[in-house]
Amino acid sequence: MTIKTQLIAGILALAVGSPALAYEEATVSDGGTITGTVKLDGAVPKPKGYNLTTLPDPFYCGRISDGQGWRILQPFQVGSDGEFRDVVVYLEGIEKGKPFEEKTVPQIEARDCLFLPFTTVVRDDQSVTVVNMDPVMHDIQAYETSNLGARVLFNVPLPMNSQHPRNFKDRTEAGMYHKHMAGPPMKQLVNLSKNRRIFVMQCGFHAYMESWGLAITNPYFAKTDEQGRFTLTDVPPGTYKLVVWHPYVRTTTEQTVTVSPKGTVEAAISVPAPTGRLYANEVLDHAYTRYNVTEEAKKEIDPLVHKQDH
């Protein structure tokens, strides 16, 4: 299964097909607050793994690896007590409420051969800006799901800053280079098909670079912090669905909440940890046998910046 096929399959499994309600902005004078925690219940899934010998720029991108020739991508950020970090919590069934905050266009950075942040919240028909901070070329390929299958949102190169060195002679030279300078910003419109709310962006050169986006229909959303906590404010009195979203949790986790005028609701949400194999790319037990990496080559793959855990 190719990386593109794998990502498309993931998007199709995550399609949100419920019709979106038209949202009306208004002053909320008696709004309440929803606060709470999100925890992952069960074993944290294995990370994704990509062998650096099969992909471009192994010197620079290999500065961060597991020391066995693998670049690791862990989509699940979980604390020691199950605190589920960096997941999106949002309300459904709300037709009228506080205005959207007018902020700058969301920005995604390519930094140390990662797309950051891993999840982004946008409004449909809103642009995102992608910037390359690395001294290597990247490429952005973004997809959404539709009723006809996956659809390309945009596919453009991501140039690097011209002041970066163009090539590294060896891993030591790459490992000693730590500058991050912004290349030309690439501003792209996220225009999803009707009722679609999820898109994914990957690098066409470095398969371990991916970033997911959720298009929201109202301003009542938050991303959980290091303690897995979130807060939604100025919520109009009423009963709503509180939904938790993570791109690799294929089952919906939601909770019904009732907000009273100027009241506070505390929600404790438990997300069942997905089980089984979630993706095609995993670290292999006998990587060197498969990829014919010699003992001499092993000496050249120790990470010089950060050693990752499986």
Side-chain angles (χ1 to χ4, degrees):
M1 181 184 290
T2 65
I3 300 302
K4 186 180 293 186
T5 303
Q6 177 190 345
L7 287 170
I8 291 172
I11 302 170
L12 291 173
L14 286 164
V16 179
S18 57
L21 298 172
Y23 180 76
E24 179 183 350
E25 295 185 353
T27 300
V28 180
S29 59
D30 57 350
T33 299
I34 302 173
T35 185
T37 56
V38 181
K39 289 198 172 186
L40 187 71
D41 182 16
V44 179
K46 291 181 179 180
K48 304 179 81 170
Y50 299 85
N51 195 285
L52 289 163
T53 64
T54 67
L55 297 166
D57 305 303
F59 286 151
Y60 181 77
C61 297
R63 302 174 317 143
I64 299 173
S65 67
D66 72 340
Q68 300 295 317
W70 291 86
R71 182 70 190 240
I72 307 301
L73 174 64
Q74 176 50 281
F76 292 84
Q77 301 302 316
V78 183
S80 58
D81 291 328
E83 306 94 338
F84 206 175
R85 303 163 176 165
D86 205 33
V87 295
V88 180
V89 182
Y90 65 93
L91 285 183
E92 279 193 345
I94 186 165
E95 302 180 43
K96 185 177 180 180
K98 67 180 180 181
F100 284 91
E101 291 186 16
E102 294 300 328
K103 292 186 177 181
T104 57
V105 175
Q107 179 166 304
I108 300 170
E109 289 187 354
R111 182 184 289 267
D112 289 325
C113 298
L114 281 176
F115 278 136
L116 300 173
F118 183 70
T119 54
T120 302
V121 181
V122 301
R123 294 174 65 176
D124 195 12
D125 285 329
Q126 181 185 36
S127 296
V128 296
T129 299
V130 190
V131 177
N132 186 6
M133 305 296 291
D134 287 338
V136 295
M137 285 288 292
H138 296 302
D139 173 75
I140 45 177
Q141 303 172 352
Y143 303 91
E144 63 130 6
T145 120
S146 75
N147 58 347
L148 299 177
R151 180 174 74 94
V152 176
L153 292 174
F154 48 86
N155 184 355
V156 294
L158 196 58
M160 64 186 227
N161 189 300
S162 60
Q163 297 182 45
H164 280 308
R166 304 300 298 182
N167 294 292
F168 294 111
K169 296 178 182 178
D170 56 40
R171 63 184 294 272
T172 302
E173 187 179 89
M176 296 298 291
Y177 187 81
H178 298 283
K179 290 184 180 179
H180 293 101
M181 295 185 289
M186 307 302 292
K187 188 175 181 180
Q188 299 295 321
L189 179 66
V190 178
N191 183 9
L192 302 179
S193 300
K194 185 177 181 181
N195 298 335
R196 304 294 165 175
R197 297 170 61 180
I198 296 169
F199 68 94
V200 63
M201 187 178 74
Q202 67 174 115
C203 178
F205 302 139
H206 310 97
Y208 37 83
M209 296 178 62
E210 67 178 69
S211 180
W212 292 80
L214 176 70
I216 43 87
T217 58
N218 66 66
Y220 295 99
F221 68 90
K223 290 174 71 172
T224 55
D225 62 16
E226 286 293 303
Q227 288 73 47
R229 295 196 62 83
F230 67 92
T231 301
L232 306 176
T233 60
D234 297 323
V235 182
T239 299
Y240 311 104
K241 283 184 181 179
L242 188 63
V243 183
V244 178
W245 177 76
H246 182 279
Y248 283 102
V249 177
R250 306 292 169 84
T251 57
T252 302
T253 299
E254 59 185 40
Q255 184 173 316
T256 300
V257 294
T258 299
V259 180
S260 58
K262 297 185 179 180
T264 298
V265 177
E266 181 76 23
I269 304 174
S270 179
V271 178
T275 57
R277 186 160 183 165
L278 301 183
Y279 13 75
N281 301 91
E282 289 186 356
V283 175
L284 301 178
D285 293 332
H286 304 289
Y288 296 127
T289 302
R290 175 172 177 180
Y291 291 109
N292 297 317
V293 177
T294 65
E295 289 295 325
E296 188 64 28
K298 286 184 187 181
K299 300 176 183 178
E300 294 294 313
I301 60 177
D302 286 334
L304 296 178
V305 172
H306 174 61
K307 186 172 183 178
Q308 299 179 300
D309 295 325
H310 286 190

mmCIF file of all heavy atoms in Angstrom, residues 3 23 31 38 47 54 98 106 154 168 186 225 230:
data_model
loop_
_atom_site.group_PDB
_atom_site.id
_atom_site.type_symbol
_atom_site.label_atom_id
_atom_site.label_comp_id
_atom_site.label_asym_id
_atom_site.label_seq_id
_atom_site.Cartn_x
_atom_site.Cartn_y
_atom_site.Cartn_z
ATOM 1 N N ILE A 3 1.975 5.305 0.341
ATOM 2 C CA ILE A 3 1.654 6.299 1.359
ATOM 3 C C ILE A 3 0.394 7.046 0.967
ATOM 4 O O ILE A 3 -0.488 7.285 1.786
ATOM 5 C CB ILE A 3 2.826 7.288 1.520
ATOM 6 C CG1 ILE A 3 4.085 6.537 1.940
ATOM 7 C CG2 ILE A 3 2.474 8.357 2.523
ATOM 8 C CD1 ILE A 3 3.945 5.769 3.216
ATOM 9 N N TYR A 23 -24.703 28.763 10.652
ATOM 10 C CA TYR A 23 -24.413 29.359 11.952
ATOM 11 C C TYR A 23 -24.612 30.864 11.882
ATOM 12 O O TYR A 23 -24.145 31.534 10.962
ATOM 13 C CB TYR A 23 -22.977 29.034 12.372
ATOM 14 C CG TYR A 23 -22.600 29.605 13.710
ATOM 15 C CD1 TYR A 23 -23.058 29.023 14.887
ATOM 16 C CD2 TYR A 23 -21.805 30.740 13.809
ATOM 17 C CE1 TYR A 23 -22.731 29.552 16.127
ATOM 18 C CE2 TYR A 23 -21.457 31.274 15.038
ATOM 19 C CZ TYR A 23 -21.930 30.673 16.196
ATOM 20 O OH TYR A 23 -21.608 31.202 17.421
ATOM 21 N N GLY A 31 -24.273 33.327 28.438
ATOM 22 C CA GLY A 31 -23.574 32.108 28.066
ATOM 23 C C GLY A 31 -22.926 31.384 29.228
ATOM 24 O O GLY A 31 -22.571 31.986 30.250
ATOM 25 N N VAL A 38 -9.922 15.119 28.522
ATOM 26 C CA VAL A 38 -10.018 14.004 27.591
ATOM 27 C C VAL A 38 -8.886 13.038 27.912
ATOM 28 O O VAL A 38 -7.722 13.447 28.024
ATOM 29 C CB VAL A 38 -9.910 14.464 26.124
ATOM 30 C CG1 VAL A 38 -10.028 13.267 25.182
ATOM 31 C CG2 VAL A 38 -10.989 15.494 25.802
ATOM 32 N N PRO A 47 3.718 3.991 17.053
ATOM 33 C CA PRO A 47 3.903 5.098 16.108
ATOM 34 C C PRO A 47 4.093 4.577 14.689
ATOM 35 O O PRO A 47 4.256 3.381 14.455
ATOM 36 C CB PRO A 47 5.170 5.776 16.615
ATOM 37 C CG PRO A 47 5.950 4.664 17.242
ATOM 38 C CD PRO A 47 4.917 3.752 17.870
ATOM 39 N N THR A 54 15.283 4.808 2.370
ATOM 40 C CA THR A 54 14.413 4.751 1.190
ATOM 41 C C THR A 54 13.887 6.119 0.778
ATOM 42 O O THR A 54 13.157 6.215 -0.206
ATOM 43 C CB THR A 54 13.209 3.828 1.458
ATOM 44 O OG1 THR A 54 12.371 4.415 2.471
ATOM 45 C CG2 THR A 54 13.669 2.453 1.918
ATOM 46 N N LYS A 98 -21.659 33.124 19.769
ATOM 47 C CA LYS A 98 -20.642 34.173 19.700
ATOM 48 C C LYS A 98 -19.983 34.221 18.325
ATOM 49 O O LYS A 98 -19.961 33.216 17.587
ATOM 50 C CB LYS A 98 -19.588 33.939 20.774
ATOM 51 C CG LYS A 98 -18.736 32.695 20.573
ATOM 52 C CD LYS A 98 -17.708 32.556 21.689
ATOM 53 C CE LYS A 98 -16.848 31.310 21.503
ATOM 54 N NZ LYS A 98 -15.856 31.156 22.597
ATOM 55 N N PRO A 106 -4.322 30.593 9.592
ATOM 56 C CA PRO A 106 -3.558 29.513 10.248
ATOM 57 C C PRO A 106 -2.294 29.183 9.465
ATOM 58 O O PRO A 106 -2.307 29.139 8.224
ATOM 59 C CB PRO A 106 -4.538 28.339 10.237
ATOM 60 C CG PRO A 106 -5.890 28.956 10.134
ATOM 61 C CD PRO A 106 -5.711 30.194 9.311
ATOM 62 N N PHE A 154 -4.793 20.866 -3.057
ATOM 63 C CA PHE A 154 -3.693 21.590 -3.677
ATOM 64 C C PHE A 154 -2.451 20.715 -3.649
ATOM 65 O O PHE A 154 -2.335 19.790 -2.849
ATOM 66 C CB PHE A 154 -3.426 22.938 -2.999
ATOM 67 C CG PHE A 154 -3.339 22.905 -1.497
ATOM 68 C CD1 PHE A 154 -2.143 22.621 -0.852
ATOM 69 C CD2 PHE A 154 -4.451 23.198 -0.724
ATOM 70 C CE1 PHE A 154 -2.056 22.610 0.533
ATOM 71 C CE2 PHE A 154 -4.374 23.190 0.669
ATOM 72 C CZ PHE A 154 -3.179 22.887 1.292
ATOM 73 N N PHE A 168 24.270 19.121 1.796
ATOM 74 C CA PHE A 168 25.148 18.726 2.889
ATOM 75 C C PHE A 168 26.031 17.581 2.418
ATOM 76 O O PHE A 168 25.546 16.615 1.830
ATOM 77 C CB PHE A 168 24.335 18.285 4.104
ATOM 78 C CG PHE A 168 23.542 19.403 4.731
ATOM 79 C CD1 PHE A 168 22.159 19.425 4.649
ATOM 80 C CD2 PHE A 168 24.196 20.442 5.395
ATOM 81 C CE1 PHE A 168 21.438 20.453 5.216
ATOM 82 C CE2 PHE A 168 23.467 21.477 5.969
ATOM 83 C CZ PHE A 168 22.089 21.490 5.882
ATOM 84 N N MET A 186 3.505 29.798 1.216
ATOM 85 C CA MET A 186 2.560 29.305 0.220
ATOM 86 C C MET A 186 1.164 29.347 0.831
ATOM 87 O O MET A 186 0.846 28.571 1.728
ATOM 88 C CB MET A 186 2.929 27.878 -0.206
ATOM 89 C CG MET A 186 4.369 27.728 -0.674
ATOM 90 S SD MET A 186 4.788 28.804 -2.077
ATOM 91 C CE MET A 186 3.780 28.055 -3.366
ATOM 92 N N ASP A 225 -4.832 20.603 26.128
ATOM 93 C CA ASP A 225 -3.484 21.002 26.498
ATOM 94 C C ASP A 225 -2.680 19.810 27.028
ATOM 95 O O ASP A 225 -3.088 18.655 26.871
ATOM 96 C CB ASP A 225 -3.535 22.146 27.522
ATOM 97 C CG ASP A 225 -4.226 21.756 28.830
ATOM 98 O OD1 ASP A 225 -4.411 20.538 29.092
ATOM 99 O OD2 ASP A 225 -4.575 22.665 29.607
ATOM 100 N N PHE A 230 -9.588 21.152 28.333
ATOM 101 C CA PHE A 230 -10.119 22.085 27.339
ATOM 102 C C PHE A 230 -11.171 22.965 28.013
ATOM 103 O O PHE A 230 -11.729 22.619 29.056
ATOM 104 C CB PHE A 230 -10.749 21.333 26.166
ATOM 105 C CG PHE A 230 -11.990 20.562 26.539
ATOM 106 C CD1 PHE A 230 -13.256 21.141 26.426
ATOM 107 C CD2 PHE A 230 -11.899 19.263 27.039
ATOM 108 C CE1 PHE A 230 -14.391 20.443 26.804
ATOM 109 C CE2 PHE A 230 -13.035 18.555 27.407
ATOM 110 C CZ PHE A 230 -14.288 19.146 27.294
#
